[in-house]
Amino acid sequence: MSRPRSSRAALRRRSCWRWAIQSGLALAGVGLMLSSALASEPPPQRQRELTHLVRQECGSCHGMSLQGGLGPALLPADLRDKPADGLAATVYHGRPGTAMPPWQRFLTEAEAAWVVDRLISGFPE
Amino acid sequence: MRILFSVLLVAFLGACAGTPPLRGTGDLALIIERASGHVTLANTSSRQPYARIGGLGDLSHASAVYSRDGRYAYVFGRDGGLTKIDMLAGQVVKRIIQSGNAIGGSISQDGRIVVAQNYKPGGIKAFDAETLELLAEVPAEYAPGQFSKVVGLADSPGNKFVYALFDAGEIWVSDFSDPRRPVTQRFPAGQNPYDGLVTPDGRHFLAGLFGEDGVAMLDLWQPQQGARKILEKYGRGEEKLPVFKMPHLRGWSVAQGKAYLPAIGRHEVLVVDVATWQEVGRIPVRGQPVFVMARPDGRQVWVNFAFPDYGKVDVIDTLKGEVVSQLAPGKGILHMEFTPRGENVWLSARDDHKILIYHTENLTQIGEITADAPSGIFFSSRAQRIGF
């Protein structure tokens, strides 16, 4: 008696997963280095919310056009030499001893990485 | 003869139609539309807009001061733009770019000098109020080659301007008695002053400190005594709550002999007796206060908040010393402005794209004006006040 189709499909999916996990582990080192580049894209609606958050709320210190204010400028040229991971950590955890607060109540680490990625490449309007 | 009379009458009426009616400037308002580089001009008696002007650049954190006759508004944009607007004609008179990154400005006691405060390059610049010609500048070079961002600029009697240096932790007083040759005095203040105010009598300058719990106070009548700390260690070593927007200070915080000041990293309004400069109370509120503004008669103090609590407004009764009303007027309440005698307050609701007009006695909304992402609201009655 042959396996039901659904079970065969499940087996295929499992082997698929195994492959994915193995390749995933192999890529983990690279992935860490490129974490911001590989950061999962938030859905479009969330991207709009995050863009609004950055322009308006981050903008109260960094300027709505991100050219800096009480906080430093966040334009691509200003961020070029800074590691993306460190910038994402600053967004997420804040910077003790400075005016930069932690934003972790309002976005996930992956979203912070997405924001940094967008800042480095030129932030959407 | 009758024909001649008729012709003259028609000509007379025609001339009348072409001339706008005379009007005063005491009840006008300028609303900053931060995202689109526009300002809307409105009338605070009719509570209606009457003009909208564009092309003012980056107006995030823009502010305005008025000429002493209330006719001209000087708008300081974030991008260093300084625009002189004729409030009656509803048009731009002159516009210059005076720096790369600015944060506001002030106008002298005699109304002849407009001063802009700049982040980049850090310092202040003085302009002729009539022509916007550059008169002098005072770079905020606190150590050789090191420039500070300038905050809290306010005018004080004697054509002086007082301001604080965020990076240097100092208060500077620049005397523009000779507008082209200002003389500057420096006073150590404390860590990271974030904004400042001159009391309504022009005597004291207060600088709120971000880097430590406390407020620096300089007696401008006796500056030789130096700045001293008031409200020192109000946090008492407790862990601070995150501050998602810096509070703003201005002389409106003083009411009934007390100053109502935002705490930093605490959801409280601090109350100080301005005779002794001792703390006399603290009032719990629903967020990090940004503007703590007394109604002109001092009976109420209205408080708005930093993100994410900026949909709320708390109203303090100064007789009871506590919050008596908790309002939720709209989305992104960024600024508040009282009519000169306090019967109304205008609130900007940035994310509702509206100015909400409230009656301050019964706390009901009595009107609104549409505006694109409004932030600051500036009434022409500021023209007559010290420290604005």
Side-chain angles (χ1 to χ4, degrees):
Chain A
M1 207 174 144
S2 65
R3 288 167 184 276
R5 288 183 76 85
S6 61
S7 159
R8 260 204 309 262
L11 201 68
R12 259 204 311 277
R13 272 203 301 276
R14 267 202 295 280
S15 66
C16 244
W17 273 113
R18 197 174 302 133
W19 178 84
I21 288 164
Q22 280 163 354
S23 1
L25 283 174
L27 282 170
V30 182
L32 273 177
M33 281 184 283
L34 297 174
S35 65
S36 72
L38 292 181
S40 56
E41 292 256 312
Q45 171 59 25
R46 183 61 184 153
Q47 289 190 19
R48 278 193 292 277
E49 287 166 13
L50 290 168
T51 303
H52 188 262
L53 181 83
V54 171
R55 290 263 170 217
Q56 302 298 331
E57 315 319 334
C58 304
S60 67
C61 278
H62 297 281
M64 198 172 53
S65 53
L66 306 172
Q67 294 183 41
L70 215 49
L74 301 178
L75 297 173
D78 305 298
L79 304 179
R80 201 171 8 192
D81 302 330
K82 300 191 167 59
D85 288 0
L87 292 170
T90 297
V91 171
Y92 192 72
H93 296 289
R95 252 195 169 166
T98 75
M100 178 67 180
W103 292 83
Q104 52 187 275
R105 271 171 65 196
F106 311 106
L107 40 61
T108 65
E109 280 184 284
E111 288 169 343
W114 180 82
V115 164
V116 166
D117 188 43
R118 282 300 101 101
L119 287 170
I120 289 170
S121 56
F123 205 75
E125 285 302 318
Chain B
M1 185 64 204
R2 199 180 291 160
I3 293 167
L4 181 63
F5 180 73
S6 303
V7 169
L8 281 176
L9 185 68
V10 167
F12 176 68
L13 289 174
C16 281
T19 312
L22 289 175
R23 64 149 303 139
T25 55
D27 59 353
L28 303 181
L30 182 146
I31 297 158
I32 304 286
E33 299 180 57
R34 70 198 297 268
S36 61
H38 279 77
V39 295
T40 284
L41 309 185
N43 184 306
T44 64
S45 298
S46 67
R47 305 194 283 265
Q48 294 297 326
Y50 66 87
R52 188 164 186 258
I53 304 168
L56 271 63
D58 180 355
L59 291 183
S60 58
H61 208 290
S63 63
V65 299
Y66 285 93
S67 60
R68 56 193 285 141
D69 60 2
R71 174 154 182 190
Y72 299 103
Y74 301 88
V75 179
F76 304 91
R78 188 53 171 268
D79 55 3
L82 168 56
T83 311
K84 181 177 179 179
I85 288 173
D86 184 330
M87 295 294 290
L88 292 180
Q91 62 191 29
V92 171
V93 178
K94 185 146 192 195
R95 175 171 162 78
I96 60 169
I97 300 292
Q98 58 86 22
S99 81
N101 194 326
I103 196 66
S106 188
I107 188 164
S108 62
Q109 182 180 37
D110 66 5
R112 291 168 186 263
I113 310 167
V114 171
V115 174
Q117 63 177 338
N118 293 321
Y119 278 167
K120 214 189 296 174
I124 62 169
K125 282 188 180 178
F127 300 89
D128 183 309
E130 184 71 37
T131 62
L132 299 189
E133 174 206 357
L134 180 67
L135 296 172
E137 56 187 304
V138 183
E141 188 176 9
Y142 60 96
Q146 285 189 291
F147 294 81
S148 173
K149 299 178 189 100
V150 172
V151 298
L153 177 76
D155 60 283
S156 80
N159 274 8
K160 289 177 183 155
F161 292 89
V162 195
Y163 47 101
L165 279 64
F166 180 78
D167 307 290
E170 294 182 5
I171 294 171
W172 287 17
V173 181
S174 294
D175 183 338
F176 282 81
S177 299
D178 180 347
R180 291 185 187 272
R181 281 168 210 80
V183 178
T184 299
Q185 286 180 287
R186 299 169 58 164
F187 304 92
Q191 233 184 319
N192 294 136
Y194 63 86
D195 201 2
L197 70 88
V198 163
T199 50
D201 57 10
R203 176 167 176 180
H204 297 98
F205 180 79
L206 307 184
L209 301 175
F210 183 83
E212 56 186 291
D213 293 334
V215 172
M217 190 272 285
L218 179 66
D219 183 346
L220 298 168
W221 290 5
Q222 308 173 83
Q224 67 280 4
Q225 293 182 351
R228 67 178 171 97
K229 299 266 173 63
I230 60 169
L231 292 170
E232 208 169 359
K233 301 186 176 61
Y234 61 77
R236 297 198 185 100
E238 291 167 39
E239 187 150 352
K240 283 184 180 180
L241 299 166
V243 177
F244 295 106
K245 182 177 179 174
M246 286 287 177
H248 286 60
L249 305 176
R250 208 93 304 217
W252 53 60
S253 305
V254 181
Q256 300 291 306
K258 290 174 187 147
Y260 293 79
L261 301 168
I264 286 277
R266 301 176 64 82
H267 294 179
E268 287 176 340
V269 169
L270 308 170
V271 190
V272 189
D273 184 321
V274 299
T276 61
W277 297 105
Q278 296 297 309
E279 180 185 326
V280 290
R282 11 177 111 184
I283 302 168
V285 290
R286 289 182 295 165
Q288 166 65 52
V290 173
F291 285 99
V292 178
M293 303 179 87
R295 199 172 70 177
D297 66 350
R299 179 63 198 270
Q300 296 175 344
V301 171
W302 288 53
V303 186
N304 77 334
F305 303 104
F307 174 83
D309 298 306
Y310 58 11
K312 305 168 187 169
V313 171
D314 282 356
V315 182
I316 294 167
D317 181 322
T318 54
L319 206 52
K320 293 186 176 140
E322 61 185 39
V323 171
V324 290
S325 291
Q326 298 181 324
L327 308 176
K331 279 195 277 180
I333 303 295
L334 293 193
H335 196 213
M336 308 179 283
E337 181 88 331
F338 289 94
T339 48
R341 295 206 240 173
E343 77 283 6
N344 293 162
V345 63
W346 289 29
L347 311 173
S348 54
R350 184 192 68 199
D351 295 346
D352 285 335
H353 302 287
K354 278 176 192 169
I355 298 295
L356 310 171
I357 305 172
Y358 270 67
H359 194 281
T360 58
E361 274 307 314
N362 60 25
L363 305 179
T364 55
Q365 192 188 326
I366 53 167
E368 64 180 47
I369 291 173
T370 302
D372 184 12
S375 52
I377 309 169
F378 302 90
F379 288 176
S380 55
S381 47
R382 287 176 176 239
Q384 281 80 34
R385 296 186 66 172
I386 294 174
F388 279 75

